[in-house]
Amino acid sequence: MLIETETTPNPATVKFLPGRTVMEVGTRDFATPEDADASPLAEALFSLGDVEGVFFGRDFISVTIGSGAAWRDAKPQILGVLLDHFAGDMPLFRTGSAAAIAIEEDDTDYGDAPEDADVVAQIRELIETRVRPAVANDGGDILYRGFSDGVVSLHMQGACSGCPSSTATLKRGIETLLKHYVPEVTEVRAI
């Protein structure tokens, strides 16, 4: 089995592509070792010591290492864990209570005003069709979290979380796109 790797705009994060589907639906972000209790794979990656974040996308896993760690040392260990997991056809999540498996989706009601329904639909459509695929290429995800008084709130995950260029992406990329197509948008913020 071959697992490809790609750099991301975040120097602390590398995207690993196992050549198969990782998550059928949604994404899952593990920001701490405690978050990883639901997944044997995420737990194994955190147990390596230098790993500070794990993100499961549709066909990739993004791994973030801590400051002071070097990719030349971490990458072979991470690849070993991933190869063992996928070659052994192991489950991504532990069986048991579905409550432990929190798969983030972008379909929650965030208290958007009913009179903004058309605007919110346009914003969500642009995020789903233009923003999320581009961000997934960089090993992350962005989820809609609300619209109020012209401000769109988004949550960044995976390689996007903590990336030095995320502010530029958010302001120059996403905000410009949304303002162009949805004149009611005045600002985009990460929450």
Side-chain angles (χ1 to χ4, degrees):
M1 171 177 201
L2 173 68
I3 296 178
E4 295 180 41
T5 62
E6 291 180 4
T7 58
T8 71
N10 184 347
T13 304
V14 168
K15 183 176 167 182
F16 294 85
L17 299 130
R20 62 172 62 171
T21 300
V22 175
M23 295 274 296
E24 291 288 339
V25 176
T27 60
R28 179 65 196 264
D29 191 34
F30 302 93
T32 67
E34 293 77 27
D35 293 343
D37 288 345
S39 170
L41 177 56
E43 192 172 63
L45 290 167
F46 273 106
S47 75
L48 296 174
D50 289 332
V51 173
E52 287 194 346
V54 176
F55 179 81
F56 296 158
R58 176 160 170 59
D59 61 352
F60 66 91
I61 296 106
S62 291
V63 178
T64 303
I65 58 172
S67 62
W71 276 110
R72 72 177 176 282
D73 300 326
K75 193 182 287 187
Q77 294 176 322
I78 293 167
L79 283 168
V81 168
L82 294 174
L83 282 169
D84 288 348
H85 177 85
F86 288 107
D89 215 15
M90 297 173 167
L92 194 58
F93 294 103
R94 287 191 167 75
T95 56
S97 169
I101 304 172
I103 298 171
E104 295 229 29
E105 282 296 322
D106 211 9
D107 60 359
T108 306
D109 177 11
Y110 293 99
D112 296 322
E115 60 270 16
D116 292 333
D118 289 340
V119 171
V120 169
Q122 290 174 1
I123 292 167
R124 285 179 177 243
E125 176 69 19
L126 287 166
I127 290 169
E128 195 62 36
T129 60
R130 300 234 181 145
V131 176
R132 289 182 82 193
V135 171
N137 283 335
D138 287 340
D141 198 7
I142 293 185
L143 302 175
Y144 174 83
R145 289 295 182 247
F147 175 74
S148 178
D149 298 323
V151 178
V152 177
S153 297
L154 302 174
H155 178 68
M156 303 171 96
Q157 296 181 317
C160 297
S161 181
C163 176
S165 63
S166 64
T167 301
T169 299
L170 195 68
K171 291 295 182 183
R172 288 191 214 122
I174 299 167
E175 185 174 273
T176 301
L177 173 81
L178 292 179
K179 283 179 171 180
H180 176 78
Y181 287 103
V182 186
E184 293 85 353
V185 173
T186 58
E187 184 181 357
V188 175
R189 293 183 191 156
I191 60 168

